[in-house]
């Protein structure tokens, strides 16, 4: 996850899990924070356990970092689920791992998340998704050619974020102090 340097961002410690994901909290002056997660689901496995691990992480984030359900939540990434039509909320009849797909739809529904990225990101498949609990804040989504086999999803979101203008804090490394030199300078 890459974060703009002048935003006030804190990493979120996660519960023990086997999901490939990371989370951060964007702190906003006088507003509720924004919780941002990145997720990757390998296409080589099609197991319900993969989605159960994501569910465990989402539950942890919601319980420990969004107890009143007031924060904006964004979860994006390569979910590798090409057989869901997100506009209709249906699973393609040719899908061989239906239980995994159903579990994903159950998890996002249970967490009040809405999938707002509907454009193909690899050939004709919608693999890279963006879920949020506040879809009305998404202004636009555009797709750009990527550096891998997937295109890049660019999201414009309506948030008023104040820029962190605090100077970086100096941390003295006392273990590297030349004590003899310091003593001689103080005694002069």
């Amino acid at each position: 996850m890459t974060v703009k340097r002048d935003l006030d961002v804190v990493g979120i410690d996660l519960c023990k899990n086997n999901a490939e994901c990371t989370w951060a909290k964007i702190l906003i002056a006088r507003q509720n924070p924004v919780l941002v997660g990145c997720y990757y689901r390998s296409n080589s496995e099609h197991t319900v356990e993969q989605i159960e691990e994501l569910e465990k992480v989402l539950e942890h984030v919601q319980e420990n970092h969004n107890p009143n359900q007031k924060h904006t939540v964004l979860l994006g990434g390569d979910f590798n689920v090409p057989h869901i039509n997100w506009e209709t909320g249906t699973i393609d009849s040719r899908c061989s791992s239906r239980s995994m797909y159903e579990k994903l739809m159950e998890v996002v529904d249970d967490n009040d998340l809405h999938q707002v990225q509907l454009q193909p990101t690899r050939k004709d498949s919608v693999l890279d998704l963006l879920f949020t609990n506040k879809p009305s804040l998404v202004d636009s989504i555009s797709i750009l050619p990527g550096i891998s086999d997937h295109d890049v999803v660019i999201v414009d979101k309506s948030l008023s974020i104040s820029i962190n203008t605090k100077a970086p804090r100096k941390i003295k490394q006392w273990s590297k102090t030349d004590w003899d030199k310091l003593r001689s300078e103080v005694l002069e």
Side-chain angles (χ1 to χ4, degrees):
M1 179 182 300
T2 304
V3 179
K4 197 172 177 185
R5 181 175 294 149
D6 51 0
L7 292 178
D8 204 356
V9 178
V10 177
I12 294 178
D13 290 327
L14 300 176
C15 58
K16 185 175 175 163
N17 70 82
N18 291 319
E20 280 192 56
C21 66
T22 186
W23 283 82
K25 184 185 296 188
I26 301 173
L27 305 173
I28 304 170
R30 296 173 297 285
Q31 294 182 41
N32 289 318
V34 176
L35 304 175
V36 181
C38 287
Y39 175 74
Y40 171 74
R41 190 192 71 73
S42 171
N43 194 31
S44 62
E45 287 185 52
H46 297 285
T47 64
V48 172
E49 289 77 24
Q50 290 176 303
I51 306 303
E52 288 171 343
E53 289 297 311
L54 173 62
E55 179 179 38
K56 185 175 14 173
V57 170
L58 275 168
E59 286 173 0
H60 174 83
V61 169
Q62 296 285 27
E63 289 171 11
N64 294 283
H65 301 280
N66 193 14
N68 300 324
Q69 306 294 311
K70 292 184 179 178
H71 302 347
T72 298
V73 176
L74 295 169
L75 171 61
D78 181 358
F79 284 76
N80 277 311
V81 287
H83 300 294
I84 297 177
N85 180 328
W86 291 103
E87 293 183 67
T88 62
T90 57
I91 300 169
D92 189 318
S93 60
R94 297 170 292 174
C95 177
S96 61
S97 45
R98 189 170 197 78
S99 59
M100 184 201 67
Y101 279 65
E102 289 171 346
K103 182 64 178 177
L104 175 61
M105 294 179 81
E106 174 190 318
V107 168
V108 296
D109 188 53
D110 288 350
N111 286 276
D112 195 31
L113 296 175
H114 306 273
Q115 206 291 106
V116 294
Q117 196 305 98
L118 303 173
Q119 300 175 56
T121 54
R122 185 167 191 267
K123 299 181 181 172
D124 292 331
S125 297
V126 180
L127 301 179
D128 300 274
L129 310 176
L130 178 68
F131 295 94
T132 182
N133 60 338
K134 298 183 181 173
S136 63
L137 294 180
V138 174
D139 290 331
S140 67
I141 296 175
S142 53
I143 304 297
L144 299 175
I147 57 172
S148 71
D149 59 337
H150 289 242
D151 292 335
V152 177
V153 177
I154 306 292
V155 179
D156 288 322
K157 193 147 179 64
S158 299
L159 291 174
S160 299
I161 297 178
S162 57
I163 302 301
N164 180 3
T165 56
K166 291 187 288 186
R169 190 176 106 203
K170 284 189 178 182
I171 299 174
K172 301 195 185 302
Q173 296 181 338
W174 295 107
S175 63
K176 295 183 178 182
T177 301
D178 182 347
W179 291 105
D180 293 331
K181 181 178 177 186
L182 181 63
R183 280 187 196 101
S184 69
E185 287 179 3
V186 169
L187 294 175
E188 289 178 1

